[in-house]
Amino acid sequence: MSEKLDVLKDRTAASVMNTYGRYNLGLARGKGCILHDLDGREYLDLLAGIAVTGLGHCHPEVVQAMCDQAQELFHVSNLFYQEPQVALAEALLDTWRPGAAARDGRVFFCNSGAEANEGAIKLARRYMHKVRGENRHEVITLSGSFHGRTLATLTATGQDKVKDGFEPLPEGFITVQAGDLEAMRAAVTDRTAAVLLEIVQGEGGVKPFPAEYLQGVQALCRERGVLFMADEIQTGLCRTGRWWAHQHFGLQPDVITCAKALANGLPMGAVLATAEVARGFEPGSHATTFGGGPVVAAAALKTLEVMARDRLAERAERLGAFAMSLFADVAADNPGKVGQVRGLGLMIGIELSPGVDGQKVWEELLRRGYILNLTQGSVLRLLPPLIIGEADLRRFAKTLGDVLSGM
Ligand SMILES: Cc1ncc(COP(=O)(O)O)c(C=O)c1O
């Protein structure tokens, strides 16, 4: 037991609100895919701050871009024009709608994923009310989804545990069974403003949807005049093997939301909407003091540049397939212990079988120096930095096999 960790835990308990079930680990330093705890012990990071540090920890070019900008212009508010914000908006739009439709969109910058989804929900309502002149305000989301912790986004979230004790919840949200197109069809009415969904559910247990379902939902939205909005907060920015996960399926959402990996660890979120839907906002209708500030925008712009230059989407696709084949081998070598290996790119879930104690497996992996996440009690979730190498994945798969065979 680490004395330093004990001290930090006591200080945390006495000063920080008790909202997180924290791991029994304090971290002091990180570089690339490696983290060091308070006593200098090394860990392989397979979580990347929950899909945030895509380029790895303390990426030198991002650190440099941030420091350079911090000495030039730090914060001015959105009352003024500034270059880093617009350069980032242009770069983001180029990843979303490349080719002919490039820049046929607008970006709103904010500070987190929940705030991005909150902005998207507000945009959908306001677009319907003010631009289309229609009385549509409802947003349909899916069971098992996760969209954030503000009052609106926790209401949108299709998991009861995040709502407990926060009633009364805002009106205007409907949750339908994930994957059931007929349930979606039945829920869409002339009050529906938008459907909001994750292309692969992350917190829900790394659950990809079949292409036909996603394409069916988009077609239904088009047919019924409803906005199709993709929450790409966890799936976006190369994680699944494309810039955006919806690009695997030829989808064209009206709105996407992103955050997490955008500035490789600095807090930033964004709502991307088609130019048409963006007409829903006017000066004064939505705002945030820090959104798209120069320092975080410079860090994000560099993050996008590195992702493009180093072809990290292709790398995620290749290494994701490699990792999943390794984990499938681990499953085959340990019959009855692994239910399913699933995911897209470097967003991977290893579902343990009902008889296997997920918490124990996860704790043992942590003890052996691997940082990952256990979601829904039985799914080992891997969201490694996009720069992870084959040797590290092999090393982890070998350890996972050892741990499972010993259980
Ligand atoms: C799909 C999805 N949407 C929204 C959020 C909320 O993001 P944030 O924690 O930055 O508010 C998350 C966070 O895990 C997420 O995975």
Side-chain angles (χ1 to χ4, degrees):
M1 209 39 189
S2 157
E3 242 174 73
K4 286 184 186 166
L5 178 58
D6 283 344
V7 171
L8 204 54
K9 280 165 79 172
D10 287 346
R11 285 175 57 204
T12 303
S15 62
V16 179
M17 280 201 204
N18 189 21
T19 59
Y20 300 103
R22 293 184 202 266
Y23 300 174
N24 196 34
L25 179 63
L27 295 169
R29 282 182 298 119
K31 194 83 196 144
C33 298
I34 299 297
L35 284 163
H36 286 94
D37 73 8
L38 304 176
D39 300 308
R41 190 171 170 229
E42 192 176 299
Y43 293 80
L44 178 65
D45 183 12
L46 297 166
L47 190 56
I50 321 184
V52 170
T53 49
L55 306 186
H57 297 280
C58 303
H59 190 281
E61 290 169 90
V62 178
V63 171
Q64 192 62 51
M66 183 187 85
C67 292
D68 289 350
Q69 184 58 47
Q71 302 197 43
E72 203 63 40
L73 189 69
F74 208 97
H75 172 83
V76 285
S77 88
N78 281 306
L79 294 173
F80 305 92
Y81 294 97
Q82 39 101 355
E83 163 76 20
Q85 182 177 110
V86 68
L88 176 60
E90 289 165 352
L92 262 179
L93 291 174
D94 289 347
T95 67
W96 183 37
R97 312 186 122 224
R103 306 267 169 90
D104 176 24
R106 301 287 184 272
V107 184
F108 176 83
F109 289 109
C110 53
N111 311 285
S112 70
E115 201 188 342
N117 282 336
E118 185 89 22
I121 292 162
K122 284 180 70 179
L123 179 62
R125 284 189 177 186
R126 206 168 190 282
Y127 171 71
M128 289 300 175
H129 294 160
K130 300 284 183 180
V131 178
R132 289 245 207 110
E134 292 181 40
N135 189 25
R136 292 173 178 264
H137 70 281
E138 283 177 0
V139 175
I140 300 177
T141 60
L142 306 185
S143 60
S145 62
F146 184 81
H147 297 297
R149 300 286 193 154
T150 63
L151 270 178
T153 57
L154 74 82
T155 309
T157 291
Q159 302 185 54
D160 288 341
K161 64 182 182 194
V162 305
K163 307 181 192 195
D164 185 32
F166 294 115
E167 302 80 6
L169 300 174
E171 198 259 327
F173 294 90
I174 291 175
T175 304
V176 300
Q177 183 59 41
D180 183 344
L181 191 55
E182 287 319 306
M184 177 70 77
R185 194 181 300 282
V188 173
T189 68
D190 55 9
R191 293 185 305 279
T192 312
V195 170
L196 172 67
L197 54 74
E198 295 157 272
I199 304 294
V200 180
Q201 289 190 339
E203 303 292 321
V206 190
K207 292 191 177 147
F209 292 109
E212 311 79 66
Y213 173 70
L214 295 167
Q215 288 157 357
V217 173
Q218 177 175 283
L220 177 66
C221 288
R222 298 278 187 267
E223 179 193 312
R224 307 288 285 275
V226 167
L227 298 183
F228 179 55
M229 309 203 297
D231 176 341
E232 291 261 17
I233 287 160
Q234 191 164 142
T235 50
L237 297 163
C238 304
R239 168 65 46 197
T240 70
R242 298 283 186 280
W243 274 110
W244 307 100
H246 69 262
Q247 292 168 339
H248 284 279
F249 307 104
L251 301 168
Q252 296 226 310
D254 302 290
V255 177
I256 64 172
T257 51
C258 79
K260 288 198 182 275
L262 184 50
N264 207 50
L266 290 184
M268 182 174 236
V271 183
L272 281 67
T274 61
E276 163 62 17
V277 174
R279 291 170 60 214
F281 282 160
E282 303 163 294
S285 54
H286 193 52
T288 177
T289 299
F290 291 117
V295 175
V296 68
L301 186 59
K302 183 55 76 178
T303 301
L304 294 187
E305 261 175 51
V306 174
M307 283 177 171
R309 182 196 68 200
D310 296 351
R311 299 180 169 277
L312 292 187
E314 286 164 40
R315 187 186 172 89
E317 183 163 47
R318 185 165 50 79
L319 286 178
F322 174 74
M324 279 196 263
S325 75
L326 290 178
F327 303 150
D329 291 347
V330 171
D333 292 345
N334 290 275
K337 301 212 171 143
V338 178
Q340 198 186 23
V341 176
R342 58 180 181 248
L344 198 58
L346 282 172
M347 182 173 184
I348 301 173
I350 304 169
E351 174 139 39
L352 301 172
S353 301
V356 179
D357 185 337
Q359 182 69 22
K360 260 204 179 141
V361 173
W362 174 81
E363 272 168 17
E364 184 56 22
L365 288 168
L366 186 63
R367 207 183 60 75
R368 295 189 190 202
Y370 296 92
I371 293 180
L372 58 155
N373 171 243
L374 182 72
T375 184
Q376 304 295 317
S378 62
V379 182
L380 296 171
R381 180 169 51 153
L382 276 77
L383 299 159
L386 306 171
I387 57 164
I388 194 148
E390 291 187 4
D392 282 337
L393 290 168
R394 254 199 219 101
R395 185 156 70 84
F396 169 71
K398 162 93 178 58
T399 307
L400 177 64
D402 292 348
V403 169
L404 285 177
S405 62
M407 305 254 342

